[in-house]
Amino acid sequence: MTAPERRGAPAAAKTHALQGLRVLDLTRLLPGATCTMLLGDLGADVLKIEQPGVGDYNRSFEPIARQESGSFLLLNRNKRSMTLNLKSPAGRDVFLRLVREADVVVEGFRPGVMDRLGLDYDTLREANPALVVCAISGFGQTGPLREASGHDLNYMALAGALQLFGTPETGPIVPGLSIADVGGGSLMAVYGILAALLARQRTGEGQYIDVSMFDGLVTWLAYHGADTLFAGVEPRGGERAFIGSAPCYNVYRCGDGRHLSLGIIEAHFWERLCDLVEQPAWKANQWPQGAAAAVQFRELSALFATQPLAHWVERLLAADIPAAPVNGIAEAFDHPQSRARDLLYACEHPVEGRIPQLGFPVKFSGTPAEHRMPPPLLGQHTHDVLSSLGYGAEAIATLERDGAV
């Protein structure tokens, strides 16, 4: 599988949606990197500020391409990189110079770290009253867990979301996606930043945005939370209609060992399936409960096991019944729909050569996202940035000698 070259932006497009926005990225790992990459794709000038000699921890995560981590390469395009030691007084001074010219600072430290660095919000606001500061953390800046350590799985568990995965037999299972990191962190941060920038247009003032991955997850629970809040029912994986108990909304193993997702909700689709497989008796009971649901699941399982996946996909899609194969990631990337939507493309990297990239998820008619630069090498733009701040060659050499950059 090869990634196609990036298609050019429409000829009429002259600007990017966030062109001219200056973002200082102090984050490491997935939540912040995804947030700032999305901003960069829309035209923001994202300066990734990394620890000298170490950089973003994600640079060392497997798999490694030639020198860089594959996940780092997929999360850091359209960014520049400079190294800066924020614990150094000289490094702190450099950062405050950058803040005076910036629009947004995004940080992902534990609550209290920026205060200890002497870079608390009051200090940053004094340097630039129009600055928007977005802090992404696990549990937020307040509350009894504000300084607690955690990762995606822990936030999922505490927010009541993890129990929605799995079955009564398995209990909760580890989801295959970083739902808290991206859904509760990255996307909420992008939303918050853009809202704060819109408010700044009216007030001229920046503000502080406290993004908690835990909080973000809780807002995802509106559908299943209704079971608890209005019916007094605790939803768990395999026990409620849309989390594994409904035969009409489930996953089935086909005759070749591949799996099929059946996503029927509306009655007319259910009746269409019953007609297709010549089971009119099923029509009267689309949503069986308890033992009846187990019987219907076994009957559907036996049916789908009679033929390979391709057979069922062809028949069900031809009948306009909501169904899809359970694809592997390579299949998903290579799918005609993915290619039609430019969800995979390739770019050139100065060390790694030709590398794949995942496309921007939102399409704009007038200000489309664009690939402008590959993921940066560690500190690749440090000298350029310092020069733009007025540091001469001798001053830059002093900063390097003192370990400030």
Side-chain angles (χ1 to χ4, degrees), residues 118-147:
L119 296 171
D120 55 277
Y121 177 58
D122 287 342
T123 299
L124 300 183
R125 182 174 57 183
E126 183 178 351
N128 182 354
L131 186 71
V132 171
V133 178
C134 179
I136 306 172
S137 64
F139 297 107
Q141 302 298 308
T142 59
L145 293 180
R146 64 184 295 268
E147 295 184 9

Side-chain angles (χ1 to χ4, degrees), residues 222-238:
Y223 190 87
H224 296 296
D227 286 336
T228 300
L229 296 174
F230 295 98
V233 174
E234 191 66 56
R236 293 184 176 87

Side-chain angles (χ1 to χ4, degrees), residues 157-177:
L158 200 64
L162 193 63
Q163 68 173 2
L164 303 176
F165 295 81
T167 67
E169 292 74 30
T170 64
I173 61 173
V174 179
L177 288 174

Side-chain angles (χ1 to χ4, degrees), residues 12-365:
K14 301 295 185 182
T15 62
H16 301 104
L18 300 181
Q19 184 171 321
L21 188 73
R22 292 157 297 187
V23 178
L24 303 179
D25 179 5
L26 295 178
T27 68
R28 302 162 176 166
L29 305 175
L30 180 59
T34 302
C35 166
T36 55
M37 183 180 70
L38 294 174
L39 297 175
D41 285 354
L42 290 176
D45 174 16
V46 178
L47 179 60
K48 187 176 181 69
I49 297 175
E50 303 186 69
Q51 183 178 348
V54 178
D56 187 336
Y57 302 151
N58 198 28
R59 286 185 180 271
S60 62
F61 286 3
E62 294 185 349
I64 303 296
R66 291 178 182 172
Q67 295 183 18
E68 297 278 18
S69 160
S71 57
F72 179 88
L73 294 172
L74 290 178
L75 288 168
N76 288 283
R77 63 172 175 259
N78 289 335
K79 303 177 187 180
R80 297 180 295 152
S81 169
M82 77 172 295
T83 55
L84 197 58
N85 181 1
L86 296 178
K87 296 180 180 179
S88 157
R92 179 182 177 276
D93 290 344
V94 171
F95 182 72
L96 288 174
R97 282 205 201 187
L98 290 168
V99 163
R100 294 185 186 102
E101 300 179 357
D103 297 291
V104 179
V105 170
V106 187
E107 59 100 346
F109 301 119
R110 282 202 212 187
V113 170
M114 290 290 281
D115 293 355
R116 292 193 292 275
L117 290 171
L119 296 171
D120 55 277
Y121 177 58
D122 287 342
T123 299
L124 300 183
R125 182 174 57 183
E126 183 178 351
N128 182 354
L131 186 71
V132 171
V133 178
C134 179
I136 306 172
S137 64
F139 297 107
Q141 302 298 308
T142 59
L145 293 180
R146 64 184 295 268
E147 295 184 9
S149 60
H151 283 296
D152 191 276
L153 188 67
N154 312 122
Y155 312 138
M156 290 278 290
L158 200 64
L162 193 63
Q163 68 173 2
L164 303 176
F165 295 81
T167 67
E169 292 74 30
T170 64
I173 61 173
V174 179
L177 288 174
S178 299
I179 300 171
D181 285 355
V182 177
S186 310
L187 299 185
M188 297 297 179
V190 170
Y191 159 76
I193 289 167
L194 296 182
L197 291 170
L198 187 61
R200 190 179 72 174
Q201 290 183 357
R202 298 192 305 272
T203 67
E205 295 289 325
Q207 59 183 293
Y208 184 86
I209 306 167
D210 175 6
V211 173
S212 156
M213 288 177 265
F214 175 80
D215 294 1
L217 275 177
V218 170
T219 67
W220 279 49
L221 296 175
Y223 190 87
H224 296 296
D227 286 336
T228 300
L229 296 174
F230 295 98
V233 174
E234 191 66 56
R236 293 184 176 87
E239 296 180 356
R240 302 293 287 169
F242 297 118
I243 48 177
S245 74
C248 63
Y249 198 89
N250 224 304
V251 178
Y252 293 93
R253 184 182 180 91
C254 297
D256 57 355
R258 301 282 314 269
H259 288 83
L260 172 80
S261 68
L262 190 67
I264 297 176
I265 297 176
E266 297 85 352
H268 66 275
F269 285 131
W270 176 248
E271 292 172 1
R272 196 173 296 172
L273 172 69
C274 296
D275 290 337
L276 181 70
V277 299
E278 300 178 350
Q279 292 288 348
W282 290 353
K283 290 184 179 182
N285 196 12
Q286 181 182 351
W287 305 99
Q289 301 292 320
V295 170
Q296 190 179 95
F297 182 80
R298 286 197 297 270
E299 291 173 339
L300 281 166
S301 295
L303 171 70
F304 290 123
T306 62
Q307 297 290 340
L309 175 66
H311 168 87
W312 291 115
V313 170
E314 181 179 0
R315 290 193 68 193
L316 293 167
L317 295 188
D320 190 28
I321 293 170
V326 177
N327 278 339
I329 292 178
E331 290 174 307
F333 286 165
D334 205 35
H335 194 281
Q337 181 67 17
S338 297
R339 291 186 173 273
R341 300 288 292 174
D342 289 332
L343 296 182
L344 186 71
Y345 67 96
C347 71
E348 293 296 326
H349 186 275
V351 172
E352 304 292 341
R354 185 179 172 87
I355 60 171
Q357 292 286 287
L358 302 183
F360 190 81
V362 182
K363 315 303 181 190
F364 295 84
S365 63

